[in-house]
Amino acid sequence: MAIRNLSEFVEQSRQKDVSAEVFELESSHLLEVKLNGRVWAKSGSMVAYRGGVKFTRQGMLEQGLGNLLKKAVSGEGTQMMKMEGNGRVYIADAGKKITLLRLGGEAIFVNGNDVLAYEDGIQADIKMMRKVSGMVSGGLFNMRLAGSGVVAITSHYEPLTLAVTPDQPVFTDPNATVAWSGNLSPDIVTDISLGTLFGRGSGETVQLKFAGQGWVVVQPYEEIYFQSGQNGGGGGGLLGALTS
């Protein structure tokens, strides 16, 4: 790698404005939010800011009673924060790749851990998968994002979008599944022979089955999450009784 003098480094790495959009990628791993009002972001994702910005963790009442109940039962859920005011905020999530999607009245589902930020015009609702408690090491919940505005999602490395058709369902590893189209509702399926073949734990036999017409986004990485039940918390049986 070439050695740069200090002025070259500062010039090449400095913040640049190339768009008037609220969300602008400074790099594939760092998002600038031009704040003039309110934006929702993953709690703890702020790496720098300037201007008059107030950060507030998402309140219990703002989550809605249904979302609050799901979080209480499962111990799962991405904590969001409000960013309010006027200024520039720079956010990131463990160096993951950031993808910006503009919704024009559509809805998408995103793995809860992969939601980085969304504009105030987007409605977010927590959804949980059926009969999955204790079967996978994470990814038990997802968020339905709908409305008009831009959302920022993350993935490890470059994501891949697979088409789902009525005659060609798609099966995915829950820990590698990032997002899917709003009209799809995945089923949980198991394959004992798969776990036997690869000699891995029982969690590896769990798959998501996407059937119908739409698409699903996967990443080339199995992201392991930690359930509250694994460290002495709640979760468990009640989760399996909940439906999305």
Side-chain angles (χ1 to χ4, degrees), residues 97-109:
K97 178 180 173 61
I98 302 170
T99 300
L100 301 180
L101 304 173
R102 187 184 303 279
L103 302 185
E106 303 104 328
I108 62 170
F109 288 96

Side-chain angles (χ1 to χ4, degrees), residues 39 43 62 73 77 82 96 110 120 126 174 214:
V39 165
S43 183
E62 291 171 309
V73 171
K82 289 184 293 184
K96 294 166 67 175
V110 183
D120 206 31
I126 297 173

Side-chain angles (χ1 to χ4, degrees), residues 89-136:
V89 184
Y90 302 89
I91 60 177
D93 185 11
K96 294 166 67 175
K97 178 180 173 61
I98 302 170
T99 300
L100 301 180
L101 304 173
R102 187 184 303 279
L103 302 185
E106 303 104 328
I108 62 170
F109 288 96
V110 183
N111 182 303
N113 198 51
D114 296 323
V115 178
L116 179 62
Y118 51 87
E119 292 186 286
D120 206 31
I122 299 295
Q123 294 79 49
D125 184 31
I126 297 173
K127 300 290 184 179
M128 292 198 296
M129 299 178 187
R130 306 175 185 181
K131 302 177 183 178
V132 71
S133 178
M135 297 174 67
V136 296

Side-chain angles (χ1 to χ4, degrees), residues 15-197:
Q15 179 266 328
K16 303 176 181 65
D17 282 328
V18 296
S19 168
E21 295 279 357
V22 174
F23 288 177
E24 180 180 339
L25 289 175
E26 290 295 327
S27 74
S28 58
H29 311 286
L30 184 63
L31 176 64
E32 179 192 50
V33 179
K34 300 181 180 69
L35 192 62
N36 182 20
R38 181 171 67 177
V39 165
W40 295 89
K42 188 174 185 178
S43 183
S45 62
M46 186 274 291
V47 298
Y49 77 92
R50 61 187 182 191
V53 180
K54 179 181 178 182
F55 300 90
T56 309
R57 292 178 72 91
Q58 185 180 34
M60 294 175 61
L61 295 179
E62 291 171 309
Q63 299 177 38
L65 182 59
N67 284 347
L68 183 62
L69 174 62
K70 292 171 186 177
K71 284 189 176 184
V73 171
S74 68
E76 299 284 338
T78 292
Q79 181 69 47
M80 304 301 290
M81 64 180 179
K82 289 184 293 184
M83 306 189 303
E84 298 176 288
N86 288 275
R88 304 290 180 97
V89 184
Y90 302 89
I91 60 177
D93 185 11
K96 294 166 67 175
K97 178 180 173 61
I98 302 170
T99 300
L100 301 180
L101 304 173
R102 187 184 303 279
L103 302 185
E106 303 104 328
I108 62 170
F109 288 96
V110 183
N111 182 303
N113 198 51
D114 296 323
V115 178
L116 179 62
Y118 51 87
E119 292 186 286
D120 206 31
I122 299 295
Q123 294 79 49
D125 184 31
I126 297 173
K127 300 290 184 179
M128 292 198 296
M129 299 178 187
R130 306 175 185 181
K131 302 177 183 178
V132 71
S133 178
M135 297 174 67
V136 296
S137 57
L140 301 184
F141 77 103
N142 53 76
M143 292 182 70
R144 182 181 185 271
L145 301 174
S148 297
V150 178
V151 303
I153 66 174
T154 60
S155 62
H156 286 278
Y157 312 108
E158 197 72 31
L160 173 69
T161 300
L162 301 172
V164 178
T165 61
D167 60 333
Q168 288 288 330
V170 173
F171 298 82
T172 68
D173 182 326
N175 292 332
T177 307
V178 175
W180 57 93
S181 49
N183 60 308
L184 296 181
S185 179
D187 291 322
I188 304 295
V189 297
T190 58
D191 188 337
I192 298 176
S193 64
L194 184 65
T196 303
L197 177 63

